[in-house]
Amino acid sequence: MTNDYRFEFRSYQRRFLRSLTTNHGKWDIREGIILRLTDESGKVGWGEIAPISWFGSETLEQALDFCRQLPREITDEIIFSIPDELPACQFGFESACEMGSGEWGVGSGGDNFITPKSSLFLYSALLPAGEAALNQWKTLWQQGYRTFKWKIGVNAIADELEIFELLIHTLPASTKLRLDANGGLSYEEANLWLRTCDNLKANPELPLEIEFIEQPLPVEKFQQMLELSTSYETAIALDESVATLRQLADCHQQGWQGIFVIKPGIVGSPSRLRKFCHQYQIDAVFSSVFETAIARLAALQLAAELSQNNRAIGFGIDHFFEQEDTWLQTLWNDL
Ligand SMILES: O=C(O)CCC(=O)c1ccccc1C(=O)O
Ligand SMILES: [Mg+2]
């Protein structure tokens, strides 16, 4: 796309098919902004601003204020100077520019947006927190998933360790399991989980792989997580700690050599993310912010470009919305 665009935007609210429960709380409705850039030749680029303020991005209101103060005609210069305090806006506008080569499956039943079932082993699916995981995994396995992520730090650790014991004796041997604490464990609990996973790793009768424990401690406990990362076999992945490009660079600069969970939708500028990943070859796992199909497509593009080590991407379609393929027409009634 060229560098002068007509800019339009609409905010949206969409209820998840299944709410997400983490240490941060319960999340039922995704709110965001869909933007459309039309260049002088009439080419259209769609973008999505999908903030998660409780995770480290700007708030929806801050993103709306930014959009409202923009003129109807904007330029590349405006887009590539969006401040770092607005990472979800940086992603939404830049990806609209990059993907400006045509419609997003609009009007074609949105089939561009649905992940082919044949490739679901490349995706990680979220198991519900708590003992519901024991019932849900089989449906996802039958759909084709082979990597699962289970949220911990939601219930009492004794209860979660009990469910974990049942889970690892139930899941097929070839499964990869990720545990995501969302920063909700104490230092002692993190040590207990890591020791438990190391003991499992040493048990030849249970070949199931615990791929990593994600964000065991809160963001401010970086030094403790750095120390834990050298004390156990089980890998640790940072997520909340590296939510934005600024945090990502900071943790890398402070010596993090482990896994980095990248949420393209809120990390910030895709062009700067590419530069960082190419420069430092980090071990990245790409992860959804429960965006709609518009940001999902842009995020999957980045994941395909930047993924290393064949790690499944956290974009399982299990949290999809209703009417995924018609909602854009409903939102943008002149399509
Ligand atoms: O990464 C995944 O596997 C799924 C996405 C996910 O877990 C998530 C989705 C929204 C907000 C926070 C998180 C998280 O990883 O903590
Ligand atoms: Mg996480």
Side-chain angles (χ1 to χ4, degrees), residues 20-27 54-56 151 153-154 181-184 215 219 240:
L20 171 73
T21 303
T22 74
N23 171 259
H24 296 284
K26 192 161 172 283
W27 186 21
W54 47 268
F55 206 86
K151 297 290 184 180
V154 174
N182 288 99
Q215 197 71 37
V219 171
E240 284 82 344

Side-chain angles (χ1 to χ4, degrees), residues 27 52 54-55 149 151 180 182 214 239 263 287-288 314:
W27 186 21
I52 318 184
W54 47 268
F55 206 86
K149 184 157 93 168
K151 297 290 184 180
D180 188 354
N182 288 99
E214 194 169 311
D239 191 5
K263 289 180 165 45
S287 170
S288 165

Side-chain angles (χ1 to χ4, degrees), residues 1-73:
M1 285 180 81
T2 60
N3 66 354
D4 282 311
Y5 313 99
R6 188 176 75 247
F7 164 54
E8 303 155 278
F9 69 99
R10 306 265 200 293
S11 61
Y12 70 83
Q13 280 193 352
R14 305 194 67 213
R15 178 170 294 282
F16 294 125
L17 284 173
R18 195 177 16 260
S19 57
L20 171 73
T21 303
T22 74
N23 171 259
H24 296 284
K26 192 161 172 283
W27 186 21
D28 299 302
I29 295 175
R30 162 42 84 198
E31 294 181 297
I33 300 164
I34 300 300
L35 63 97
R36 180 165 74 176
L37 299 181
T38 310
D39 73 8
E40 295 122 319
S41 71
K43 267 189 187 172
V44 170
W46 292 96
E48 179 180 355
I49 302 169
I52 318 184
S53 57
W54 47 268
F55 206 86
S57 80
E58 66 271 47
T59 63
L60 176 69
E61 211 41 48
Q62 287 167 326
L64 282 169
D65 288 347
F66 175 72
C67 290
R68 288 178 189 127
Q69 58 81 43
L70 285 175
R72 283 179 59 80
E73 303 294 326

Side-chain angles (χ1 to χ4, degrees), residues 232-304:
Y232 294 93
E233 289 286 305
T234 301
I236 295 175
L238 295 183
D239 191 5
E240 284 82 344
S241 291
V242 294
T244 64
L245 275 169
R246 198 176 281 177
Q247 290 171 281
L248 179 63
D250 187 41
C251 287
H252 184 265
Q253 197 275 323
Q254 289 186 71
W256 187 259
Q257 301 284 321
I259 301 164
F260 296 81
V261 177
I262 305 246
K263 289 180 165 45
I266 58 168
V267 77
S269 157
S271 55
R272 286 165 52 196
L273 175 68
R274 282 193 190 92
K275 193 158 166 271
F276 183 88
C277 291
H278 289 147
Q279 186 172 355
Y280 296 112
Q281 296 295 310
I282 57 171
D283 185 352
V285 178
F286 286 82
S287 170
S288 165
V289 294
F290 288 177
E291 58 284 289
T292 75
I294 288 182
R296 175 187 173 89
L297 213 50
L300 292 181
Q301 168 87 25
L302 274 170

Side-chain angles (χ1 to χ4, degrees), residues 6-280:
R6 188 176 75 247
F7 164 54
E8 303 155 278
F9 69 99
R10 306 265 200 293
S11 61
Y12 70 83
Q13 280 193 352
R14 305 194 67 213
R15 178 170 294 282
F16 294 125
L17 284 173
R18 195 177 16 260
S19 57
L20 171 73
T21 303
T22 74
N23 171 259
H24 296 284
K26 192 161 172 283
W27 186 21
D28 299 302
I29 295 175
R30 162 42 84 198
E31 294 181 297
I33 300 164
I34 300 300
L35 63 97
R36 180 165 74 176
L37 299 181
T38 310
D39 73 8
E40 295 122 319
S41 71
K43 267 189 187 172
V44 170
W46 292 96
E48 179 180 355
I49 302 169
I52 318 184
S53 57
W54 47 268
F55 206 86
S57 80
E58 66 271 47
T59 63
L60 176 69
E61 211 41 48
Q62 287 167 326
L64 282 169
D65 288 347
F66 175 72
C67 290
R68 288 178 189 127
Q69 58 81 43
L70 285 175
R72 283 179 59 80
E73 303 294 326
I74 62 172
T75 63
D76 280 342
E77 192 184 347
I78 289 177
I79 290 169
F80 287 91
S81 56
I82 294 173
D84 286 353
E85 289 70 26
L86 298 170
C89 287
Q90 288 181 342
F91 174 80
F93 279 90
E94 255 194 63
S95 44
C97 280
E98 288 182 358
M99 299 288 188
S101 54
E103 300 305 298
W104 286 76
V106 167
S108 62
D111 52 3
N112 297 13
F113 306 153
I114 304 302
T115 310
K117 296 232 181 301
S118 59
S119 65
L120 287 183
F121 64 89
L122 300 173
Y123 290 74
S124 167
L126 262 186
L127 295 173
E131 59 187 357
L134 295 168
N135 313 317
Q136 177 71 22
W137 74 268
K138 187 164 276 186
T139 308
L140 295 165
W141 176 276
Q142 286 161 347
Q143 286 177 4
Y145 292 99
R146 292 298 177 265
T147 301
F148 300 111
K149 184 157 93 168
W150 186 45
K151 297 290 184 180
I152 59 174
V154 174
N155 301 302
I157 187 166
D159 298 342
E160 292 187 341
L161 284 167
E162 214 172 290
I163 298 163
F164 179 68
E165 196 60 24
L166 292 170
L167 209 46
I168 57 176
H169 284 87
T170 311
L171 289 170
S174 61
T175 312
K176 282 188 181 180
L177 184 60
R178 299 166 174 179
L179 303 175
D180 188 354
N182 288 99
L185 302 177
S186 68
Y187 181 71
E188 292 70 26
E189 289 171 335
N191 276 281
L192 177 52
W193 270 109
L194 286 159
R195 198 163 42 250
T196 304
C197 292
D198 276 12
N199 294 341
L200 171 64
K201 209 178 185 75
N203 180 350
E205 284 161 33
L206 282 171
L208 172 138
E209 179 188 342
I210 304 300
E211 191 179 356
F212 51 74
I213 294 184
E214 194 169 311
Q215 197 71 37
L217 300 178
V219 171
E220 60 274 14
K221 302 288 185 187
F222 174 78
Q223 286 306 326
Q224 284 186 341
M225 286 187 283
L226 196 57
E227 174 225 308
L228 289 174
S229 69
T230 59
S231 312
Y232 294 93
E233 289 286 305
T234 301
I236 295 175
L238 295 183
D239 191 5
E240 284 82 344
S241 291
V242 294
T244 64
L245 275 169
R246 198 176 281 177
Q247 290 171 281
L248 179 63
D250 187 41
C251 287
H252 184 265
Q253 197 275 323
Q254 289 186 71
W256 187 259
Q257 301 284 321
I259 301 164
F260 296 81
V261 177
I262 305 246
K263 289 180 165 45
I266 58 168
V267 77
S269 157
S271 55
R272 286 165 52 196
L273 175 68
R274 282 193 190 92
K275 193 158 166 271
F276 183 88
C277 291
H278 289 147
Q279 186 172 355
Y280 296 112

